[in-house]
Amino acid sequence: MVRNAHHVFLARGVERVGEATELNEGTFEWVALADVPELIAKGRIANSGSLVGLLHVLALSGPDARASRAE
């Protein structure tokens, strides 16, 4: 069971100004919400905490989530 608090940050209508950086916590990457289902299917997102948060966001976003792409 995952009982830890998890934080998912979703930004819409933003401008990318640089690469994601975090020196102590792992590898981070900017991705379009529309790309998330494919990343999950390919096993590139496999952490249960990340999956719960991202699947929640996708479920609440509806069909438009796959159509919108961040540049």
Side-chain angles (χ1 to χ4, degrees):
M1 294 233 143
V2 177
R3 296 182 59 104
N4 302 21
H6 290 82
H7 305 279
V8 176
F9 298 91
L10 174 66
R12 297 183 192 276
V14 298
E15 179 182 341
R16 183 180 185 162
V17 295
E19 292 300 317
T21 60
E22 174 53 57
L23 300 176
N24 300 312
E25 296 295 331
T27 303
F28 294 84
E29 179 180 347
W30 295 104
V31 297
L33 185 59
D35 295 341
V36 170
E38 182 180 356
L39 294 171
I40 292 170
K42 289 182 175 180
R44 295 218 28 231
I45 302 173
N47 174 279
S48 62
S50 297
L51 289 170
V52 168
L54 290 168
L55 291 171
H56 179 81
V57 169
L58 288 169
L60 294 179
S61 297
D64 293 337
R66 290 188 64 96
S68 64
R69 299 183 66 85
E71 299 287 335

